[in-house]
Amino acid sequence: MRPFDLPEGKLYFAGEWREGRGAEITSTFPADRSLNRVLRGASAEDVDLAVEAAQRAQRDPSWRNLRPHERASYLYRIAEGIAREADRISYVQSRDTGKTLAETRALAMSAAGTFRYMAALLETSEEALTPQRGDALTLSVHEPLGVVAGITPWNSPIASDAQKVAPALAAGNAVLLKPASWSPLVCLELARIAEAAGLPPGLFSVLPGAGGVVGERLVTHPAIRKVSFTGGTEVGRALAQKAAAKLMPVSLELGGKSPTIVFADADLDVALAGVLFGIFSSTGQSCIAGSRLFVQRAVYEEFVSRLVAATKALRVGHSFEPRTQVAPLIHDDHRDSVEAMIRDAVARGAEVLAGGQRPEGMEEGVYLRPTILAEADNNARICREEVFGPVLVVLPFDSEEEVVAMGNDNDYGLACGIYTRDFPKAWRVGRAIEAGTVWVNTYKQFSISTPFGGVKDSGLGREKGREGIRAWMAQKSFYVDLPGRPHPWAA
Ligand code: NAP
């Protein structure tokens, strides 16, 4: 396989592979810090150029007048391209992010599935005649917004990119995508595949570059009609404020501090596997990570001691080693911030039950042992703030009421895991918890047909599901006169 077959040093925007005119971006492999690529990122002027080309391409009758099934054919071809090149995309994404090949392959296949699903949805979606209440025939249709943008983080690039790009294109828009500066390469691979699928030039641009420059220009550019952002809550909130000034809709997929609840009646083997996967897969760098664990007091000692032993046995290793469970973190700066959170928790009285340190003899990469902290207060920083790393905090609870209150006592509301054999209880707790997604006796399962998003500080709007394409469209209603007589008022 030839890695980095991408045109050297180039970005894909305004219909061509071009050099960016912004600040330099360096992509390194977190497993050994070797260099992947150095690129010049996009500048604000590059964004403007991409927007102009996108407007032309989006308004061109060759795109604008396509019937849904014709537009869907582009998405099917992109899906096929991703699936065909899944090994290579997986390799590039692992180099970009340090994730294991198994995980990045799954993300590539998920991206292919997203394009396929959105194509099928496009072909089967219908417009509605609304019930007629007067003399006019009434109907409502959905139309593209125009030029739209996606801004994505580094933790699951190709999958989170597809979640924005596929429905936005399906809706008939032109799309500008800004990936995170730590993971620019895999998104450029997506551009290469879209180009090979024959997508009209200018309709899709990939603009890596500094968030404060490229992201900022995407949000404030007067011609951009919607931005879908996935990333941290702080950046998302600032972005939404700027969008409000130009009355532009935004969708925000933000951070989380998701509770996982293990009741005493749970199948503890199932719960143990789910808790481990929920927090330590993706090295904890997951918005939905189950990072706050509540265990009912009757099984607390037993469950936590099994969890600690299993955590210590997790295989921390190189991204390309097939047995690795916990791969490196994305970047030294990010590991520093994760370690600072652990130190802060310990300084405030938390006890380290597992991990808390870098593994010995693995200094060449950005590794950190999976960590479990106990004896923290639910109000402590470690229980309130997102760590975005392999760090779990465990707390005991007594009653269902108490755990719902503790689970909800947090600014975030992204996800929740519930382990119990009592289904009515799982249902009650699941309904009472403030979260966008609830998993019962499992965790981190995903389906493109099931909507995803958060409440409270975890976000605004939903991606995926049957309404996925409509989120990128504007509704237009028609009243078509039937009697064909002059209006009586004018008589
Ligand atoms: P981040 O710092 O918020 O960055 C996300 C994206 O926003 C990046 O592309 C970044 O560019 C860009 N950006 C930065 N400043 C900007 C600005 N002023 N205007 C516009 N764009 C700007 O987040 P991250 O560290 O990459 O990712 C981790 C966060 O994402 C976590 O909080 C995690 O929970 C969240 N996340 C949420 C979901 C979800 O679906 N809810 C999924 C995955 C991740 P640069 O890289 O150039 O700074």
Side-chain angles (χ1 to χ4, degrees):
M1 184 181 351
R2 286 179 56 205
F4 313 129
D5 233 357
L6 297 163
E8 181 78 37
K10 302 231 168 121
L11 318 179
Y12 184 70
F13 62 96
E16 287 176 32
W17 291 92
R18 299 163 180 264
E19 276 176 26
R21 291 170 288 175
E24 208 168 79
I25 295 178
T26 305
S27 161
T28 53
F29 183 30
D32 59 15
R33 299 188 182 83
S34 57
L35 183 67
N36 293 327
R37 275 265 170 111
V38 180
L39 301 167
R40 274 195 70 186
S43 64
E45 293 71 32
D46 294 336
V47 173
D48 293 353
L49 199 66
V51 172
E52 280 169 34
Q55 278 182 308
R56 276 195 303 277
Q58 199 270 333
R59 289 175 185 161
D60 194 289
S62 67
W63 177 253
R64 199 174 176 89
N65 295 343
L66 286 181
R67 307 253 184 260
H69 70 283
E70 293 166 333
R71 215 154 60 217
S73 68
Y74 288 94
L75 278 85
Y76 283 124
R77 284 203 295 279
I78 296 174
E80 281 159 19
I82 296 172
R84 199 170 43 244
E85 299 201 37
D87 285 344
R88 188 218 188 53
I89 290 170
S90 160
Y91 175 81
V92 172
Q93 179 155 1
S94 286
R95 294 274 322 188
D96 234 1
T97 62
K99 283 172 174 287
T100 62
L101 287 173
E103 187 180 347
T104 52
R105 195 165 204 293
L107 290 171
M109 294 316 286
S110 151
T114 298
F115 274 94
R116 212 175 297 119
Y117 175 86
M118 292 300 166
L121 192 58
L122 177 60
E123 285 198 280
T124 54
S125 67
E126 292 176 3
E127 302 289 12
L129 277 179
T130 55
Q132 199 180 319
R133 295 181 77 97
D135 283 344
L137 179 73
T138 48
L139 60 143
S140 210
V141 296
H142 291 79
E143 297 186 338
L145 293 170
V147 180
V148 297
I151 301 177
T152 51
W154 43 261
N155 65 318
S156 305
I158 193 131
S160 51
D161 300 336
Q163 263 168 241
K164 301 187 190 307
V165 176
L169 285 176
N173 299 296
V175 188
L176 312 185
L177 175 68
K178 191 210 105 52
S181 296
W182 282 343
S183 59
L185 299 180
V186 73
C187 309
L188 290 168
E189 289 284 350
L190 182 61
R192 195 178 51 72
I193 287 169
E195 185 186 37
L199 207 62
L203 205 65
F204 177 45
S205 287
V206 177
L207 296 151
V213 177
V214 177
E216 179 86 18
R217 186 64 186 146
L218 289 173
V219 175
T220 54
H221 195 297
I224 291 188
R225 300 288 174 80
K226 172 171 176 164
V227 170
S228 173
F229 171 83
T230 300
T233 298
E234 211 178 307
V235 178
R237 200 190 304 279
L239 184 153
Q241 280 162 355
K242 284 176 192 134
K246 62 179 239 204
L247 295 182
M248 175 181 73
V250 285
S251 122
L252 304 172
E253 303 282 349
L254 307 177
K257 190 77 196 179
S258 300
T260 297
I261 302 166
V262 176
F263 284 100
D265 65 3
D267 178 328
L268 294 188
D269 293 335
V270 169
L272 183 63
V275 169
L276 284 169
F277 183 69
I279 177 65
F280 296 127
S281 61
S282 315
T283 318
Q285 301 168 120
S286 170
C287 54
I288 45 163
S291 51
R292 279 189 300 156
L293 175 64
F294 297 97
V295 184
Q296 202 157 21
R297 208 173 296 273
V299 293
Y300 184 85
E301 292 298 330
E302 178 196 350
F303 187 77
V304 173
S305 77
R306 285 183 65 189
L307 179 64
V308 168
T311 299
K312 287 179 175 168
L314 288 173
R315 295 182 295 275
V316 178
H318 193 281
S319 319
F320 295 161
E321 163 56 54
R323 284 170 41 81
T324 293
Q325 290 167 298
V326 183
L329 286 115
I330 178 95
H331 199 278
D332 284 290
D333 292 354
H334 184 56
R335 183 175 63 178
D336 290 348
S337 80
V338 172
E339 288 176 328
M341 286 288 283
I342 297 173
R343 277 197 305 277
D344 180 78
V346 171
R348 290 166 197 253
E351 185 189 345
V352 178
L353 301 184
Q357 300 143 348
R358 303 175 183 185
E360 278 172 26
M362 298 178 77
E363 289 74 23
E364 74 286 359
V366 193
Y367 295 99
L368 187 65
R369 284 201 183 286
T371 298
I372 301 180
L373 301 169
E375 304 301 327
D377 187 274
N378 196 35
N379 281 318
R381 211 179 138 212
I382 195 70
C383 293
R384 305 206 72 84
E385 294 180 21
E386 185 180 44
V387 178
F388 218 60
V391 181
L392 176 68
V393 57
V394 293
L395 300 108
F397 73 93
D398 291 301
S399 69
E400 182 181 322
E401 249 180 14
E402 183 197 10
V403 79
V404 168
M406 286 167 91
N408 285 341
D409 183 15
N410 195 278
D411 292 337
Y412 291 112
L414 194 57
C416 172
I418 301 167
Y419 293 90
T420 174
R421 287 189 170 97
D422 178 346
F423 179 73
K425 181 163 65 186
W427 182 249
R428 276 194 311 273
V429 173
R431 295 302 300 251
I433 282 285
E434 296 164 346
T437 298
V438 173
W439 285 287
V440 177
N441 294 329
T442 185
Y443 207 86
K444 258 184 152 182
Q445 301 296 310
F446 273 123
S447 147
I448 181 64
S449 52
T450 309
F452 178 76
V455 296
K456 305 198 293 190
D457 278 3
S458 290
L460 204 62
R462 294 289 176 271
E463 290 186 334
K464 314 204 282 187
R466 288 200 69 81
E467 296 305 312
I469 299 178
R470 295 272 156 97
W472 293 94
M473 303 187 93
Q475 204 162 4
K476 183 184 279 175
S477 297
F478 281 82
Y479 289 73
V480 182
D481 183 59
L482 290 176
R485 291 189 297 269
H487 196 286
W489 180 87

